[in-house]
Amino acid sequence: MNNEIWVFVQLNGQNVEPTSLQLITKARDIAGDRPVVALVAETESMNVEATVKEYGPDKMVILKDDQFHNASDGEIADALDQVVTDLKPNSLLFPATVLGRSVAPRLQAKLKTGLTADCLDIYFDGDDLVQVKPTYGDDIMCEIICPDVRPQMATIRPNTFKAVKAATDTETVNYSFTFHPEANIEVVSETPVINSAANISDAKTVIALGRGANNEKVIAKAEKLAGKLGGMVGVSRPLTDNEGFSHENQIGQSGNTIAPDLLINFGISGAVQYAVGIENAKQIVSINTDAKAPIFDKSDYAFVGDADEFMSALLDQVR
Amino acid sequence: MKIVVCIKQVPNTDTVKIDPKTNNLVRSNVEGIINSFDRNAIEAALELRQQAGGTITLLSMGPDSYITSLRDGLAMGADSAILLSSRKFGGADTLATAYVLSEAIKKIGDVDLILFGRQSVDADTGQVGPIVAEDLQLPQVTFAESLELQDNNQLTGHRLLDNVVQEVKVKLPAVITVRSEMNSPRYETPLNIQKSFEKEITIWSENELAVDPTQIGQAGSPTVVKRIFSPEKAGRQTQMLPNNAKDAVAQLLADLNN
Amino acid sequence: MTNDKTAEQNMLHRMIVDFTTNELAPLDMKIDQLGDYPDGLFQKVIDNGLLGMTLPRQYGGAGFDYVATAQAINAMAFGNASMAVTLEGHFKTLEQLLKYGQPELLEKYLPTATKRIFAFSQTESSGGSNPKGISTRAVKQGDNWVITGDKIMITNGGLAQVYCVLAKTEDDQMAVFLVDQDMPGFSFGKREDFIGLRGTPVGEIVMDHIKVPGYHLLGSIGQGLEIGNNAHDDARVLMGAVLAGIMQHELKIAVDYAKQRKALDTPLYELQTIQEKITDIAIAKQNTELLYQHGAELKVAGEPYSKVAAMAKSYGSRSAVSSGDKALQVLAGYGYSREYPIEHLIRDARAMEIAEGTVEKMNTEISLKEVNK
Ligand SMILES: Cc1cc2nc3c(=O)[nH]c(=O)nc-3n(C[C@H](O)[C@H](O)[C@H](O)COP(=O)(O)OP(=O)(O)OC[C@H]3O[C@@H](n4cnc5c(N)ncnc54)[C@H](O)[C@@H]3O)c2cc1C
Ligand SMILES: Cc1cc2nc3c(=O)[nH]c(=O)nc-3n(C[C@H](O)[C@H](O)[C@H](O)COP(=O)(O)OP(=O)(O)OC[C@H]3O[C@@H](n4cnc5c(N)ncnc54)[C@H](O)[C@@H]3O)c2cc1C
Ligand SMILES: Cc1cc2nc3c(=O)[nH]c(=O)nc-3n(C[C@H](O)[C@H](O)[C@H](O)COP(=O)(O)OP(=O)(O)OC[C@H]3O[C@@H](n4cnc5c(N)ncnc54)[C@H](O)[C@@H]3O)c2cc1C
């Protein structure tokens, strides 16, 4: 066994799934003198090494095989098992994406080691990787260790850490292994998900408009922005009197309770009746001309200024 | 089709508290219910049984109080239920839990399909299904949002990954973990509730299973819970964006994308 | 661990909580605004076997006792009082059939009671609180009875398909008969436009020489008032459960709001005047719970429960109205708005100061029971 921290690099089509890069940065932060190794499994024609390298792993271990295209969880776990059993890392981190949470436990079962799910933090206490994970929603945290068996495995929640580029001399190892196809399962196709929320309560992104953003120009821009972000437009109560909006779009006490990943409030003051409807939003950005507007107390990001201006800038800069 | 649905009992509450003295979760007085995703798994099994015939066996590892949720699953319409209960099974992490479940599934024998919830709502790992699949050397379709019977020995499932839907064909026997998007679980009717109390629940301990004592319970669990704590509820930290809209948006997007 | 009554009751309770949370509570405001159940909702109640909750197993029901049933009704009323009252009306009617019905009648009708609503009708324009004033007539014709009359304000009138009706014989004796909407001479009259419980249909039936076989008589001739009173008792226990559910809803709204809303920097719940209101509602809710549960327990144990049943409804209905008023005051302007449910809870609770015996009538009964002890 060595003292390396490995990070499984997940791919989305031709790109690197961002969590993997976040994990490389986090691993570097907690590593001390432990080498950080990126573990890449890709097809022959792919080349994500350049991207991964920018985040400064000490080493990249690369598994190449065309059958990684549409590989099953079992096939990926089998390939990883070969290299992990052989090179014996100390710790092995996966993004807690659906793929990570499906492959990691299969690998865990082969290695007969521990695996902690969906961690929000990790740190070393001696040689023990202390894995901090939420339970019962996020109200309670627990710290889990795997004292006697290696590797220490964890899946880590996406967007918990920030990926930061770093310059390092990265050693590249092309690892040879055998791809064992699984006979009884076939991945037929992959289709990108189109936003499918039918109503605002289920939307992942919500652009909310209040009385300070109540004009046709801004509303039209908001619809456009929602389209770009795959989200929906919601309103505070006063705007339900407008032609295009109804109670269905209303957020708040007597409207809908929403729980999007991202909520952007334009020209909303933040009355209690509105605020109770947005408590479960993950990230809240608010735009208001009044620096004292109560909505800012409930926001992660605040922009004091004009709704239209900010909306236009967003439309320009969002790809 | 012979279907096994693995179910876990979880506390029926959103707010679980920590005992400040012992640092353990306070679970007493909280009624146990079926893990919500497992209800979706049971519903999926009931629908498959309707199409293909066969039997549904519920399987759960836990203390005797887990009878409550097994009965509940019987009231939804499952045919039989097995509780894996023994002091020796206690303190199991996902590896040891899945090992005992796998051994029980072997003992049940000739199982075509094993259904799980996508994850439990308390410990929340989602690991037990895939570990069982590996232990039994079966293909898995995790996080499935739909499931269709092709013929009696093949299923097509759609997995909802983070931003793609994956279509997967799998031959039986197989392991599936079920998302809540797949269906709306039926209610137990008052009559079916009464009938569920007339069904027997089988209880197996380590004596009925061919288990290796070093792989069960605490002994078979590599992970150790070191500490449980309630994090301080940090209110939202409001970050002011620059006054200029262009710069503000640039900074916001950079922050959100990282 | 096997046939443990409380375990079955708990599972029923949980099922009703799930059903109410998913199917009824989200429609609570809509049901009030619509003045009816939205399409398909009542069918869900039937499809999930709720009409058969109390019906004995031999007739295809689940055979839950009144303690379990009252608890289930209470859970439902927390989400929507109208549907809870619809079930109450059905269950109390089935109780009378089981107690007074002849075997032939039970065999014929009870197996349909898992799919059809049964209702109990006494009230007429000429007799509400004073049923002796009714004018519906039952005339004996060989082995049959011929019934003619007009009944109003029947809970589930129009929705129900089978009616137990109070009638007078030619020699002015009171008796109860079962009529079926499919019988010649049966028709529906007007649905009431009541101010509360707006989901629950309350309506009129018209009986024009309906001929029923002799075994459609419940109990015996002259037993009509007793059966009517017994129906009241059974209804009152369940209405106590409905009222406690309404108060739980009022309490939740007041408490949630008192936690959110600030008077300048002080949360409302720290103000003594607000605390008083919350306390009053909480005590009234708890008392009503104890009363209806005790009534149900006495009934199951075969003890007299008439007085406690009347107390549950008399105290419960008045408290639910005044608690609603207090909760409204906690929310003040918002509580007075139709965008919050409190005003409709008050209207809902108000019905139960009237239906199944007015508060005045019940209080007379209760006091006489105390005086004649
Ligand atoms: C019974 C009841 C129930 C209610 N339920 C709800 C509910 O469910 N949902 C709900 O939303 N409300 C509800 N309300 C209404 C609520 O109390 C508030 O009145 C409402 O939320 C205010 O909406 P607003 O923030 O859009 O408007 P305002 O409070 O008028 O705020 C407008 C904001 O826009 C800002 N602004 C102005 N110009 C600009 C500009 N050019 N760029 C950026 N910002 C600008 C202003 O500074 C101000 O903060 C309810 C009220 C009652 C009585
Ligand atoms: C606070 C806390 C945190 C924990 N964290 C971890 C951890 O990070 N890693 C770890 O290995 N263990 C962990 N455990 C232990 C873990 O909870 C148990 O092993 C548990 O029995 C199964 O894990 P799970 O609840 O995460 O199930 P999941 O894997 O999330 O459950 C998925 C599905 O598996 C089935 N299933 C799960 N448990 C059972 C059962 N007992 N009987 C039948 N079917 C079942 C159900 O279908 C369920 O929907 C933790 C325990 C606690 C109390
Ligand atoms: C929602 C609802 C559902 C109903 N469902 C049914 C049903 O399913 N079946 C059914 O048969 N009826 C039903 N009713 C009718 C109900 O039973 C009567 O309204 C009730 O009995 C009162 O009769 P009344 O309206 O004719 O008033 P009245 O009897 O005319 O009473 C008028 C007032 O005088 C008082 N009063 C009258 N007589 C006395 C007395 N003897 N002692 C003391 N005070 C007296 C009353 O308390 C009341 O304040 C329902 C009513 C409502 C509101």
Side-chain angles (χ1 to χ4, degrees):
Chain A
M1 196 202 309
N2 57 47
N3 66 345
E4 291 169 354
I5 313 175
W6 285 26
V7 173
F8 174 71
V9 176
Q10 183 184 331
L11 306 180
N12 280 343
Q14 298 294 314
N15 303 316
V16 178
E17 202 285 326
T19 316
S20 307
L21 303 175
Q22 296 159 11
L23 294 189
I24 293 174
T25 301
K26 179 65 184 176
R28 283 172 51 93
D29 286 350
I30 63 166
D33 56 5
R34 300 172 181 85
V36 173
V37 179
L39 174 59
V40 180
E42 62 181 4
T43 59
E44 300 286 352
S45 61
M46 281 172 84
N47 188 349
V48 297
E49 289 89 317
T51 310
V52 174
K53 218 182 242 175
E54 288 181 64
Y55 292 84
D58 298 295
K59 187 158 78 178
M60 286 187 289
V61 173
I62 295 164
L63 278 54
K64 272 192 186 278
D65 194 303
D66 276 346
Q67 296 172 88
F68 279 126
H69 175 68
N70 283 357
S72 71
D73 300 343
E75 289 163 346
I76 299 171
D78 175 77
L80 301 186
D81 178 39
Q82 295 176 44
V83 60
V84 171
T85 304
D86 183 19
L87 302 182
K88 298 187 173 47
N90 172 284
S91 304
L92 177 52
L93 310 178
F94 283 80
T97 53
V98 170
L99 186 83
R101 294 184 74 160
S102 304
V103 170
R106 273 203 94 120
L107 179 58
Q108 168 200 15
K110 290 173 189 283
L111 300 169
K112 297 261 177 287
T113 185
L115 171 65
T116 306
D118 203 29
C119 297
L120 291 178
D121 198 10
I122 45 173
Y123 63 91
F124 276 101
D125 176 10
D127 192 53
D128 286 333
L129 181 70
V130 181
Q131 303 150 20
V132 187
K133 69 158 293 205
T135 170
Y136 297 101
D138 288 352
D139 289 345
I140 292 176
M141 294 288 172
C142 57
E143 293 190 339
I144 294 185
I145 52 174
C146 178
D148 303 323
V149 191
R150 295 289 180 269
Q152 317 181 67
M153 291 177 67
T155 64
I156 293 168
R157 189 180 292 185
N159 304 322
T160 306
F161 305 110
K162 281 190 179 162
V164 179
K165 291 186 182 172
T168 326
D169 288 333
T170 306
E171 177 194 350
T172 303
V173 177
N174 283 302
Y175 186 83
S176 79
F177 74 106
T178 314
F179 191 100
H180 296 122
E182 215 180 340
N184 291 333
I185 184 162
E186 180 197 346
V187 175
V188 182
S189 66
E190 287 195 344
T191 328
V193 187
I194 335 153
N195 181 282
S196 58
N199 55 56
I200 194 158
S201 325
D202 300 331
K204 291 277 172 236
T205 302
V206 174
I207 312 295
L209 305 177
R211 193 139 44 190
N214 189 10
N215 65 65
E216 278 171 33
K217 214 171 62 192
V218 178
I219 294 172
K221 284 182 191 168
E223 299 283 0
K224 211 163 148 195
L225 183 62
K228 271 188 163 181
L229 295 172
M232 291 186 80
V233 175
V235 295
S236 67
R237 192 175 72 159
L239 273 69
T240 54
D241 292 337
N242 289 18
E243 272 294 308
F245 297 120
S246 71
H247 189 76
E248 305 280 300
N249 312 96
Q250 182 186 326
I251 298 165
Q253 179 85 52
S254 53
N256 297 282
T257 301
I258 60 171
D261 292 336
L262 176 64
L263 165 67
I264 314 182
N265 296 307
F266 290 93
I268 289 177
S269 60
V272 191
Q273 290 76 25
Y274 177 80
V276 293
I278 64 169
E279 277 167 1
N280 297 329
K282 286 208 187 96
Q283 295 268 9
I284 301 180
V285 183
S286 298
I287 294 89
N288 198 305
T289 42
D290 175 6
K292 292 215 169 66
I295 192 73
F296 287 139
D297 296 341
K298 307 189 167 66
S299 306
D300 301 289
Y301 293 95
F303 177 76
V304 181
D306 182 55
D308 190 13
E309 238 178 76
F310 194 87
M311 184 90 75
S312 304
L314 260 177
L315 266 179
D316 285 348
Q317 293 183 44
V318 171
R319 271 184 298 155
Chain B
M1 194 186 303
K2 197 165 172 183
I3 307 174
V4 168
V5 186
C6 293
I7 68 170
K8 183 180 182 187
Q9 182 164 316
V10 297
N12 182 14
T13 173
D14 298 335
T15 47
V16 171
K17 300 218 164 58
I18 290 184
D19 182 326
K21 285 202 192 103
T22 62
N23 256 340
N24 283 327
L25 298 173
V26 181
R27 296 193 199 219
S28 56
N29 293 329
V30 181
E31 167 196 44
I33 54 167
I34 303 181
N35 179 40
S36 67
F37 297 110
D38 302 354
R39 293 181 82 92
N40 296 102
I42 295 172
E43 178 62 34
L46 292 166
E47 286 168 18
L48 286 171
R49 184 183 65 184
Q50 199 165 351
Q51 291 169 45
T55 58
I56 301 170
T57 301
L58 303 174
L59 183 63
S60 192
M61 185 186 94
D64 286 352
S65 61
Y66 274 37
I67 293 270
T68 308
S69 51
L70 284 170
R71 279 239 190 277
D72 205 347
L74 290 172
M76 284 178 72
D79 300 289
S80 59
I82 302 171
L83 177 68
L84 308 171
S85 184
S86 159
R87 274 177 179 276
K88 299 234 167 72
F89 296 156
D93 70 2
T94 55
L95 191 69
T97 302
Y99 170 69
V100 175
L101 293 176
S102 303
E103 290 304 317
I105 292 164
K106 284 185 198 161
K107 182 175 161 97
I108 294 169
D110 299 323
V111 174
D112 298 301
L113 184 63
I114 309 158
L115 295 173
F116 292 84
R118 60 172 274 185
Q119 68 203 57
S120 72
V121 298
D122 54 356
D124 220 3
T125 70
Q127 291 168 189
V128 172
I131 303 174
V132 168
E134 182 61 36
D135 284 350
L136 298 175
Q137 289 296 299
L138 295 178
Q140 72 185 33
V141 181
T142 56
F143 294 85
E145 60 166 2
S146 78
L147 211 52
E148 266 166 56
L149 195 63
Q150 295 304 339
D151 50 61
N152 258 337
N153 133 51
Q154 183 165 304
L155 290 170
T156 299
H158 286 89
R159 291 173 84 186
L160 187 52
L161 273 61
D162 300 276
N163 35 30
V164 288
V165 174
Q166 201 180 57
E167 184 181 323
V168 184
K169 274 199 187 129
V170 65
K171 288 217 179 77
L172 302 183
V175 165
I176 314 283
T177 80
V178 175
R179 272 182 180 270
S180 57
E181 287 87 345
M182 189 181 287
N183 53 41
S184 315
R186 67 194 63 187
Y187 300 102
E188 317 80 346
T189 66
L191 179 57
N192 287 338
I193 289 171
Q194 296 283 22
K195 286 183 176 165
S196 75
F197 282 82
E198 287 148 22
K199 294 184 190 171
E200 274 302 317
I201 292 178
T202 307
I203 299 185
W204 287 345
S205 70
E206 69 280 6
N207 300 323
E208 281 81 20
L209 299 175
V211 289
D212 167 1
T214 65
Q215 291 192 57
I216 63 174
Q218 201 140 24
S221 299
T223 59
V224 174
V225 177
K226 204 177 132 195
R227 187 165 82 98
I228 296 187
F229 61 102
S230 303
E232 298 202 357
K233 273 244 161 71
R236 290 190 195 262
Q237 295 285 337
T238 312
Q239 189 182 329
M240 298 303 293
L241 295 170
N243 288 335
N244 173 299
K246 245 191 197 149
D247 300 345
V249 167
Q251 184 183 325
L252 177 69
L253 293 179
D255 262 27
L256 293 179
N257 285 337
N258 253 316
Chain C
M1 213 186 295
T2 44
N3 261 1
D4 177 1
K5 256 224 174 67
T6 57
E8 295 159 51
Q9 186 180 327
N10 285 346
M11 204 194 291
L12 177 71
H13 181 248
R14 206 164 45 237
M15 183 245 155
I16 297 294
V17 168
D18 280 357
F19 183 85
T20 303
T21 309
N22 299 333
E23 314 292 343
L24 298 177
L27 296 174
D28 185 52
M29 299 280 277
K30 183 165 180 197
I31 288 169
D32 181 64
Q33 284 153 13
L34 205 62
D36 206 345
Y37 299 131
D39 284 348
L41 183 63
F42 187 65
Q43 192 58 40
K44 282 189 189 167
V45 170
I46 296 178
D47 291 347
N48 286 291
L50 299 188
L51 297 189
M53 192 181 297
T54 59
L55 191 69
R57 294 285 294 274
Q58 68 191 101
Y59 302 114
F64 276 101
D65 70 15
Y66 234 55
V67 172
T69 302
Q71 191 191 16
I73 290 284
N74 174 254
M76 183 175 282
F78 175 54
N80 180 251
S82 285
M83 192 63 87
V85 168
T86 282
L87 290 186
E88 167 271 313
H90 178 61
F91 295 154
K92 69 128 193 262
T93 308
L94 295 184
E95 290 299 301
Q96 311 324 310
L97 280 170
L98 286 164
K99 185 162 176 190
Y100 298 102
Q102 302 177 31
E104 216 176 337
L105 184 69
L106 303 191
E107 290 308 323
K108 185 167 155 200
Y109 275 92
L110 289 187
T112 70
T114 57
K115 302 276 183 232
R116 304 204 294 175
I117 288 258
F118 287 45
F120 201 95
S121 57
Q122 307 192 56
T123 307
E124 295 180 15
S125 49
S126 56
S129 303
N130 308 295
K132 282 182 189 140
I134 62 166
S135 39
T136 293
R137 286 287 166 186
V139 177
K140 185 129 177 137
Q141 239 182 40
D143 287 342
N144 299 323
W145 289 91
V146 176
I147 300 167
T148 302
D150 186 350
K151 294 279 174 191
I152 58 167
M153 295 192 205
I154 308 163
T155 298
N156 296 325
L159 187 65
Q161 299 177 11
V162 181
Y163 294 79
C164 293
V165 297
L166 183 70
K168 260 187 200 164
T169 58
E170 281 162 299
D171 54 353
D172 278 354
Q173 297 220 66
M174 306 294 270
V176 174
F177 298 89
L178 183 144
V179 302
D180 184 326
Q181 68 161 12
D182 296 332
M183 293 174 162
F186 184 105
S187 60
F188 287 115
K190 193 180 160 313
R191 177 173 175 160
E192 296 301 334
D193 187 14
F194 276 162
I195 62 166
L197 292 178
R198 290 187 55 80
T200 323
V202 179
E204 178 182 15
I205 61 169
V206 180
M207 296 169 286
D208 180 10
H209 293 88
I210 299 182
K211 194 198 273 181
V212 300
Y215 62 81
H216 277 227
L217 170 69
L218 269 65
S220 53
I221 299 296
Q223 237 185 337
L225 284 186
E226 179 197 323
I227 299 173
N229 288 338
N230 200 66
H232 279 327
D233 293 343
D234 290 339
R236 289 168 186 176
V237 171
L238 298 184
M239 281 195 171
V242 172
L243 291 159
I246 291 177
M247 278 183 263
Q248 191 187 341
H249 196 172
E250 293 166 345
L251 183 62
K252 180 172 191 309
I253 295 168
V255 167
D256 285 353
Y257 194 80
K259 288 189 342 205
Q260 278 160 21
R261 176 81 167 181
K262 289 189 171 124
L264 292 178
D265 286 334
T266 317
L268 288 192
Y269 68 85
E270 287 183 12
L271 304 177
Q272 203 173 6
T273 49
I274 299 293
Q275 291 168 350
E276 257 167 33
K277 293 181 181 66
I278 289 174
T279 307
D280 286 350
I281 303 171
I283 294 175
K285 166 193 157 272
Q286 184 85 56
N287 279 339
T288 307
E289 276 172 6
L290 292 172
L291 282 167
Y292 92 70
Q293 285 161 358
H294 188 46
E297 282 160 10
L298 289 172
K299 176 176 156 73
V300 169
E303 309 268 342
Y305 59 101
S306 181
K307 185 174 82 180
V308 174
M311 287 174 164
K313 192 173 88 80
S314 173
Y315 175 81
S317 59
R318 287 177 291 153
S319 315
V321 171
S322 66
S323 297
D325 192 49
K326 286 168 188 156
L328 189 156
Q329 194 67 9
V330 172
L331 276 75
Y334 299 93
Y336 194 61
S337 161
R338 296 195 64 180
E339 285 186 39
Y340 277 81
I342 295 185
E343 58 88 27
H344 98 68
L345 297 181
I346 298 176
R347 288 187 278 110
D348 289 354
R350 193 66 182 76
M352 285 167 273
E353 290 189 83
I354 302 164
E356 300 301 343
T358 59
V359 167
E360 292 77 4
K361 276 267 316 226
M362 286 188 297
N363 291 357
T364 309
E365 288 171 34
I366 295 166
S367 67
L368 286 180
K369 286 207 166 89
E370 295 297 335
V371 172
N372 298 332
K373 243 185 191 163

